[in-house]
């Protein structure tokens, strides 16, 4: 009997150890297959549903105001309605293509169905540019659940310890010669 209890305790302990990394990394993240400084790229947000009882029904991404993008287009997503919010820029943004006086400041995806179920994730994307001549871009994300709970992923990491609700940070590759996305050597 004691061996059974010890085995059960060891198995449960191992299970808890295995769960800790996934919980620590379960937050809205951002990545890109081709985003490079001064280029164009696809930006993808991975959204896990962390609720134990409600589906995710909305995601709002706020683009950094100090790094406006002249051109943004959203990816069609079956079962989701997308709303793009534009705002007038304090100063016009001059690119090699045009002078832009307003830019996309937020993108909101709202489920037209059941959303992201408990224990699952989904991805939301846009294409845009020219991306800033910077190492990173930090976005704010607002995740809304069916039961009305709202989680703001907007805390900037300042030290070694990750905040409870970290803002998604996109690392940009070095600029390419053609400024179209893929980094050159």
């Amino acid at each position: 009997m004691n061996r059974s209890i010890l085995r059960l305790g060891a198995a449960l302990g191992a299970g808890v150890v295995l769960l800790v990394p996934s919980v620590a990394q379960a937050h809205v993240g951002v990545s890109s297959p081709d985003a490079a400084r001064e280029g164009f790229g696809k930006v993808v947000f991975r959204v896990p549903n962390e609720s134990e009882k409600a589906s995710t029904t909305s995601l709002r991404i706020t683009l950094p105001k100090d790094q406006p993008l002249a051109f943004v287009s959203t990816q069609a997503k079956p079962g989701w309605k997308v709303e793009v919010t534009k705002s007038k820029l304090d100063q016009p943004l001059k690119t090699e293509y045009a002078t832009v006086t307003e830019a996309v400041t937020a993108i909101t995806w709202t489920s037209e169905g059941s959303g992201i179920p408990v224990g699952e994730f989904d991805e939301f994307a846009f294409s845009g540019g020219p991306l800033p001549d910077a190492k990173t871009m930090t976005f704010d994300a607002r995740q809304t659940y069916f039961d009305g709970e709202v989680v703001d992923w907007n805390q900037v990491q300042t030290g070694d310890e990750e905040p409870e609700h970290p803002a998604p940070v996109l690392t940009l590759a070095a600029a390419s010669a053609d400024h179209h996305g893929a980094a050159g050597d």
Side-chain angles (χ1 to χ4, degrees):
M1 179 95 173
N2 285 342
R3 283 187 184 171
S4 297
I5 291 173
L6 288 175
R7 285 185 191 143
L8 178 60
L12 288 174
V16 169
V17 169
L18 291 174
L19 286 177
V20 170
S22 63
V23 171
Q25 296 176 9
H27 52 71
V28 174
V30 63
S31 63
S32 176
D34 59 358
R37 295 173 215 161
E38 300 179 322
F40 288 77
K42 179 180 180 180
V43 179
V44 181
F45 294 89
R46 180 169 292 158
V47 182
N49 185 336
E50 295 182 341
S51 174
E52 294 181 9
K53 58 186 180 203
S55 61
T56 295
T57 57
S58 177
L59 173 69
R60 179 179 177 89
I61 300 297
T62 303
L63 283 70
K65 290 181 182 179
D66 61 337
Q67 298 172 318
L69 302 180
F71 306 100
V72 172
S73 58
T74 58
Q75 182 174 355
K77 186 158 189 61
W80 294 80
K81 178 182 81 172
V82 65
E83 178 185 341
V84 175
T85 302
K86 291 184 177 183
S87 299
K88 185 172 176 71
L89 297 174
D90 292 336
Q91 295 183 15
L93 176 63
K94 295 182 182 188
T95 72
E96 64 182 281
Y97 308 101
T99 298
V100 180
T101 58
E102 71 175 11
V104 173
T105 52
I107 303 169
T108 304
W109 288 270
T110 305
S111 174
E112 296 179 317
S114 59
I116 306 170
V118 172
E120 295 186 19
F121 77 94
D122 206 342
E123 294 181 331
F124 301 81
F126 74 84
S127 178
L131 297 166
D133 184 11
K135 291 183 180 183
T136 62
M137 288 182 77
T138 301
F139 300 86
D140 286 352
R142 172 170 275 198
Q143 183 175 14
T144 304
Y145 292 93
F146 181 76
D147 63 2
E149 180 185 0
V150 175
V151 178
D152 287 317
W153 301 97
N154 59 3
Q155 297 171 336
V156 176
Q157 184 168 341
T158 56
D160 292 337
E161 191 172 319
E162 182 177 80
E164 184 178 355
H165 297 108
V169 178
L170 176 65
T171 300
L172 300 174
S176 66
D178 65 4
H179 300 291
H180 288 279
D185 292 325

